[in-house]
Amino acid sequence: MPKSWTDGAPAPVALQDHAHLRDPLTYKIKKWFLGGALNRHSLDHQRLKKRYALGILSSDCISSSAYGSEQILIALLPAFGLAAFTILMPMTGVVLAILVLITLSYRNVIQVYTKTGGAYVVSRDNFGPVVAQIAAVALMLDYIVTLAIQSAAGVAAIISTFPELEPWKMHMIFAIIAFLTFGNLRGVKEAGKAFALPTYLFLGAMLIVFTCGLYRYFTGTLPLLETDLPGAVEVGQPSGLLTGAAIFILLRAFANGGSSLTGLEAISDGVALFKAPEADNAKRTLVIMSSLLGTLVLGVSWFAHQIHAMPYESGTPTVISQIAKAAVGTGVFGQGMFILVQLATMLILFAGANTTYSAFPLLCNFVASDGYLPRQLSKRGHRLAFSNGILLLAGGGLLLAFMTAGSVEHLVAFYALGVFTGFTLAGFGMAKHARKNKGDGWKVKFVINGLAGAVSFVIVIIFSVVKFTEGAWIVLVVAPIAVLSFLRLRRQYTAEQKALTVKSEQQRATSITRHDVTVLVDSVDLATISVVRYARTLNARKISAVHFVIDDRRAADIQAAWAASDAVDDVELELIDCPDRRLPNAALDYAIRMTEQADVELTLLLPRRSYSGVLGRLLHDQTAEDIAAPISQLSRVVATIMPFDVSKMISGKSLVVENHKHDAPVAAKPVAVKAEVKSVVAQSAEPVSHYAENITPIGNIVWRKRAHIQGRVTSIRTAPSGAAPVINVEIWDETGGVTLQFLGRREIRGLDIGTELRAEGMVADNDGKMNILNPSYELLK
C-alpha cells in the first residue's frame, strides 16, 4: 500500500461500521418475544429509585399481611374455639416484636455490606464458605416457595371475588408465573416500574378499609360475622393453654404467623439495584417497608378479632376479603370498594411473587461467582437480567405449585423455615462482625444481632418440629443434599482452576527449538490441501503427513493421489499400520514417539469435514474429536482440529453477513472493488489552530486537521511487556471509529472498555486508517 505522504496515495479514512452474521431464526424469535438486546453499557441505567424499589422489593413482605393472620387462625380455631380470636392479638404482638428485632439487625447488614448483602454474604464473610452454602440453599428454597405461595394467594383473592373461577385455579397460577417470568426476562427496570403501582394501590385500599372499619367500630355498626357457616374451618372446644398439646398448637400457630415476616431480606439482597447512595436508600426503604408491614399485620389481626373473620377449608373467601366487606359495607360504595380491595390484594400478592425474580437471580449470581453453582447463573441475558436464574426460579415455582395443588395452607409448611435460617445466620454473623471490629456502638449492635440470631434459631427449631409432618421434612432432607452438591461443585471448579494455574517455572514461556507439524490424512482433497497450506505458515522445522492404514487399497489410493498432487509435493507422506483399527491409540503412540526428545514440540493438524445435520452424521464418522482428546493430555503436543464445511460447498451458499448500521446483507466472498483514489494535493491556506473547539462526528474528521471527538471505548490494545510502551484505544460514535495512540504508556487510570471518552488532537494516518497520536483527553464516565 502506498504511504499517505506519497503522491497518488488514497487518503486515510475513519473506521467503518462492522458487519455481523445474519441473525438465526432462534435469535429473531427471542428478539421478537423479549425485544431488542440491551447494550451492557446501559446497565447503570437499570438501577431503581426508592419509590420503584419499594414496589419491586417490598411487595413480598407487605403482601404477607394478606394471609399471615389467617394462617394463625387456621391453627388456633380447631384447638381453642372462639378463644382463638383472643389469642390472636398477643400472638400478633410477638410477631411484631420479632419484626422490629429483625429489621434492626438487617439495617446493620445494609450499613456494613453497602453493595451486596443478605444472609449469604454475611455468612460467607464471617463463618466461611461452608456455612454460607447453608444460607444460600435456605434462601433459594424460600424464594421458590415465595413465588408459589404468593401466586396461589393472589389467585385465591380472585376466586374470593369470583367463586365461579374455582375450577380454573391451577391454570391461573401457572399463567401468573409464566407472565411474571416473561416480564422479568425483559429486564428488571421495566418489571420494577410495572409492579410498583400495586404496592401503593394496596396500601391506599387498606387505608380506606381501616378508616371505614374504625368509623363503624366507634359508631357501633361494625358487624360480627357468623362462625358456623359451611366450608369454614372447624371451631373446636376451648381448652387449657398449659397442656402439652395446647403448647404444641400455640407453637404451630406462631410458626404460621412467622410467614408474615418473609421478604424482609429482599432489600439487603438487592442493595445493588438501588441508585447511589445504595446503602442509605436501601436502609430507608427497609424501615418504611417494616413500618408498613407492622401496621398492616396489626390492622388485619385486630379487625379479624373484632368481626370473627373465619378462614375457610378451601382458602376462599379469605380473611382479608371478609374484613374488607365488613368494613366498607354492602352498598354501592361498599361493593365497589370490595372489588377494589380484592383487586389491590391480588396485585400486591402477584407483585410479592415478582420480588423473588429480583432476589433469587442476584443470590444465584453471588453463589455462582463464588464457584458453588454453575457459572451460567452469573451471566446476564438478552435484556441484562440474569435469565438462567429467572428460568430456574420459574421452574421450581411451577413444580411446587403443582405438587401442593396451589394450596396456601400446604405451601406455608415449606415457607418460613428457609427465611428464618437466613435470619439466624445473618444475626449471628453480624454479631461476630461487631465483636471482631469493635466500631462505634459495637456492644449495642452485638446484642441486637445476637438476639435476632438467637430468636430466629429458636423459631427454626420450632418450625422444624411442628411443621415436620406437614412438609418441613422435605426441606430438611433436600437442604443438606443441596449443600453437599454445592460443595462438590466448588471442589470441581477448584481442581480445574488449579490444573490451569501457571506455576512459577512456567511464568517465562520459552520457545522450543524443534517444532514439527504433522497433518493426519484421511483423503487427498481440498480439506487436506487447505490444512497443509496452513501448516506451512507455522514456521515448523519439518512438515509431515501421516495416514493410519486400516484399509490397504484405500492407503494405496491415497499414496498415489499424494504423489500426483503438485500442492503437496514438498511434504512427505508416511503410512503407519493400524492393525486393530483404533485410530486414537495409533495417533497417541505416534505423538509419544515423535516427542521422545525433550526439545521437540509437535503440532497435529486434523482436518474435520462438517456435513449437514442427521444425514451427515449417518453417512460419515466423527473421529477428529476422538483422536484429539487423548493427545491433548500429552505435554509438548498440540492437537488442532481444522473445520471444513462440506455442506456449504454442496449448497453453493456463501456466508452471509449483515451491515450493522444499515442491515444490508453482504455476501462474504471475494469481490473486485475499484478503489476510489483521492490524490494528495496541497490544502488551501487556512489559519493553523492548535485546538479544535467543536465536537466533530468521528465519521467526519479530516486527515491532517485537528479534531475534537467523543465516543465510547470499544477496544484497548496494550504493547507486550517486552516491547516499547504504547496503548492503542479504539473509540466509536454513531458515525464511525478512530484509533487513539498513546506512546510511552502502558496504563491509563480509569480507562476501561465502555468508558465514554472525549479527545482532541491532530488526525494522522496508520496503514490507511485515521488515528490521533497522543491526544489530550477527558474521561466522561
Side-chain angles (χ1 to χ4, degrees):
M1 173 182 291
K3 298 299 182 182
S4 57
W5 57 81
T6 61
D7 293 335
V13 296
L15 299 174
Q16 301 302 308
D17 213 342
H18 305 294
H20 294 264
L21 291 174
R22 177 175 291 173
D23 294 338
L25 178 61
T26 53
Y27 184 83
K28 291 180 179 179
I29 294 174
K30 181 168 68 173
K31 186 176 179 180
W32 174 83
F33 191 65
L34 299 178
L38 293 179
N39 191 315
R40 68 182 184 88
H41 300 301
S42 67
L43 186 61
D44 289 340
H45 302 293
Q46 297 295 104
R47 303 298 183 93
L48 301 174
K49 297 179 180 179
K50 291 193 293 293
R51 61 177 179 270
Y52 293 129
L54 183 64
I56 192 173
L57 296 178
S58 303
S59 52
D60 174 21
C61 195
I62 291 174
S63 63
S64 299
S65 62
Y67 52 81
S69 302
E70 180 174 348
Q71 294 302 315
I72 295 177
L73 290 173
I74 288 176
L76 292 177
L77 283 168
F80 300 104
L82 296 180
F85 291 106
T86 303
I87 302 172
L88 175 62
M89 291 310 297
M91 188 161 289
T92 300
V94 175
V95 172
L96 294 182
I98 297 173
L99 169 64
V100 173
L101 189 62
I102 299 299
T103 300
L104 293 175
S105 177
Y106 268 86
R107 283 190 84 254
N108 289 336
V109 172
I110 296 172
Q111 185 175 358
V112 173
Y113 297 92
T114 57
K115 294 299 181 183
T116 56
Y120 174 76
V121 177
V122 174
S123 301
R124 181 191 63 190
D125 291 355
N126 293 282
F127 298 123
V130 176
V131 176
Q133 302 323 303
I134 299 175
V137 170
L139 290 176
M140 289 172 66
L141 292 175
D142 175 70
Y143 290 141
I144 293 174
V145 177
T146 298
L147 174 60
I149 197 172
Q150 298 281 68
S151 301
V155 169
I158 298 175
I159 297 175
S160 296
T161 310
F162 305 103
E164 61 272 13
L165 295 177
E166 173 71 30
W168 297 92
K169 174 181 176 180
M170 294 303 299
H171 301 81
M172 288 190 288
I173 292 175
F174 291 163
I176 289 301
I177 294 178
F179 175 76
L180 294 176
T181 302
F182 169 75
N184 281 273
L185 286 174
R186 288 189 62 90
V188 65
K189 185 176 182 180
E190 289 77 0
K193 287 186 175 181
F195 287 97
L197 178 61
T199 300
Y200 301 114
L201 180 63
F202 178 74
L203 292 172
M206 293 307 296
L207 176 63
I208 296 174
V209 168
F210 288 170
T211 302
C212 294
L214 288 173
Y215 173 79
R216 299 192 70 178
Y217 171 77
F218 287 113
T219 58
T221 58
L222 188 66
L224 186 68
L225 303 182
E226 298 289 337
T227 59
D228 57 351
L229 295 175
V233 171
E234 180 184 357
V235 179
Q237 297 298 319
S239 60
L241 298 177
L242 299 180
T243 63
I247 293 175
F248 183 83
I249 297 298
L250 289 172
L251 292 176
R252 187 168 67 179
F254 171 71
N256 282 4
S259 62
S260 298
L261 304 185
T262 55
L264 275 174
E265 79 291 342
I267 288 182
S268 64
D269 284 334
V271 175
L273 292 175
F274 285 82
K275 286 194 170 183
E278 294 91 343
D280 292 341
N281 289 332
K283 285 194 294 184
R284 294 190 189 103
T285 305
L286 174 65
V287 172
I288 294 172
M289 178 186 72
S290 298
S291 302
L292 293 172
L293 174 63
T295 302
L296 291 170
V297 171
L298 181 62
V300 171
S301 293
W302 187 80
F303 278 104
H305 162 71
Q306 292 295 327
I307 69 174
H308 286 185
M310 293 291 296
Y312 281 73
E313 296 284 355
S314 64
T316 55
T318 59
V319 166
I320 196 171
S321 68
Q322 297 174 59
I323 293 173
K325 184 172 290 187
V328 299
T330 56
V332 176
F333 172 77
Q335 288 291 337
M337 276 304 303
F338 173 73
I339 294 177
L340 177 62
V341 170
Q342 289 302 97
L343 174 64
T345 303
M346 174 198 72
L347 291 178
I348 188 68
L349 287 164
F350 292 157
N354 180 71
T355 302
T356 61
Y357 283 95
S358 297
F360 182 90
L362 281 173
L363 175 62
C364 289
N365 172 49
F366 298 153
V367 180
S369 298
D370 290 339
Y372 292 92
L373 278 175
R375 296 213 172 105
Q376 290 88 334
L377 292 171
S378 65
K379 308 296 183 183
R380 292 188 180 272
H382 187 73
R383 301 281 293 180
L384 296 182
F386 294 107
S387 304
N388 292 325
I390 289 173
L391 295 175
L392 178 62
L393 171 66
L398 289 171
L399 178 62
L400 199 56
F402 175 79
M403 290 172 54
T404 59
S407 169
V408 175
E409 181 183 358
H410 293 159
L411 285 166
V412 166
F414 299 92
Y415 204 13
L417 183 59
V419 73
F420 274 99
T421 300
F423 291 164
T424 300
L425 295 172
F428 286 146
M430 291 307 300
K432 181 179 179 181
H433 180 275
R435 185 175 181 181
K436 179 181 178 181
N437 293 276
K438 295 186 178 180
D440 295 337
W442 73 271
K443 292 183 179 179
V444 176
K445 295 178 181 178
F446 175 79
V447 171
I448 291 175
N449 289 293
L451 186 59
V455 170
S456 299
F457 180 70
V458 171
I459 295 174
V460 169
I461 300 300
I462 292 173
F463 205 95
S464 301
V465 174
V466 302
K467 292 289 185 179
F468 184 82
T469 58
E470 299 179 26
W473 68 270
I474 297 178
V475 178
L476 296 174
V477 170
V478 171
I481 296 175
V483 170
L484 293 175
S485 300
F486 285 15
L487 297 176
R488 175 65 183 84
L489 185 63
R490 174 58 182 172
R491 286 197 298 271
Q492 179 64 27
Y493 275 134
T494 302
E496 294 173 358
Q497 186 177 8
K498 184 178 180 181
L500 295 173
T501 300
V502 180
K503 300 178 177 60
S504 57
E505 63 270 16
Q506 299 169 328
Q507 288 289 343
R508 181 64 179 171
T510 58
S511 300
I512 296 180
T513 56
R514 298 175 61 189
H515 176 213
D516 296 335
V517 175
T518 298
V519 179
L520 299 188
V521 178
D522 184 51
S523 63
V524 183
D525 55 13
L526 186 58
T528 301
I529 300 301
S530 299
V531 172
V532 172
R533 186 183 303 120
Y534 171 74
R536 293 192 181 102
T537 68
L538 298 181
N539 196 26
R541 181 181 66 94
K542 179 182 180 182
I543 299 177
S544 305
V546 168
H547 172 70
F548 296 108
V549 180
I550 56 178
D551 184 326
D552 292 330
R553 179 173 295 179
R554 179 174 177 78
D557 293 340
I558 289 175
Q559 189 174 29
W562 193 270
S565 175
D566 294 334
V568 293
D569 57 2
D570 59 334
V571 180
E572 67 177 14
L573 174 65
E574 181 179 1
L575 303 180
I576 299 178
D577 189 22
C578 184
D580 58 359
R581 299 169 303 286
R582 298 173 65 186
L583 293 178
N585 281 3
L588 183 65
D589 181 69
Y590 173 81
I592 293 174
R593 286 190 292 107
M594 295 299 294
T595 56
E596 287 179 346
Q597 298 183 16
D599 62 343
V600 174
E601 183 178 58
L602 176 66
T603 296
L604 288 179
L605 300 181
L606 294 82
R608 183 183 65 184
R609 300 158 183 84
S610 301
Y611 301 92
S612 59
V614 177
L615 183 60
R617 291 183 174 86
L618 181 65
L619 298 178
H620 305 278
D621 58 7
Q622 305 290 323
T623 58
E625 288 82 358
D626 297 335
I627 294 173
I631 290 176
S632 63
Q633 302 176 37
L634 298 176
S635 60
R636 296 181 289 110
V637 179
V638 176
T640 302
I641 297 176
M642 306 287 294
F644 199 82
D645 197 336
V646 179
S647 59
K648 284 291 183 183
M649 296 185 63
I650 295 174
S651 65
K653 296 179 180 179
S654 58
L655 180 66
V656 176
V657 297
E658 294 180 350
N659 183 275
H660 181 66
K661 184 174 181 179
H662 303 290
D663 293 327
V666 181
K669 56 184 179 181
V671 178
V673 178
K674 182 178 181 180
E676 180 181 354
V677 178
K678 299 180 180 179
S679 299
V680 180
V681 297
Q683 302 293 325
S684 59
E686 294 180 0
V688 177
S689 171
H690 295 287
Y691 181 78
E693 181 66 32
N694 297 326
I695 298 293
T696 303
I698 295 178
N700 296 341
I701 61 177
V702 179
W703 177 46
R704 290 182 175 176
K705 293 280 189 178
R706 300 194 71 85
H708 196 183
I709 60 174
Q710 180 174 325
R712 188 177 296 277
V713 176
T714 61
S715 171
I716 301 175
R717 187 170 70 253
T718 306
S721 58
V726 61
I727 300 177
N728 292 284
V729 178
E730 191 174 300
I731 69 169
W732 284 75
D733 65 8
E734 293 81 0
T735 63
V738 68
T739 299
L740 310 180
Q741 194 171 56
F742 298 89
L743 300 179
R745 307 185 68 170
R746 295 194 184 277
E747 179 185 9
I748 297 178
R749 187 178 299 275
L751 182 67
D752 297 301
I753 296 295
T755 300
E756 191 77 15
L757 184 145
R758 184 176 295 162
E760 193 277 338
M762 180 66 72
V763 180
D765 164 63
N766 185 13
D767 289 335
K769 299 296 182 181
M770 293 184 184
N771 72 335
I772 301 178
L773 186 64
N774 286 333
S776 59
Y777 66 93
E778 177 186 0
L779 302 180
L780 301 180
K781 57 181 178 178

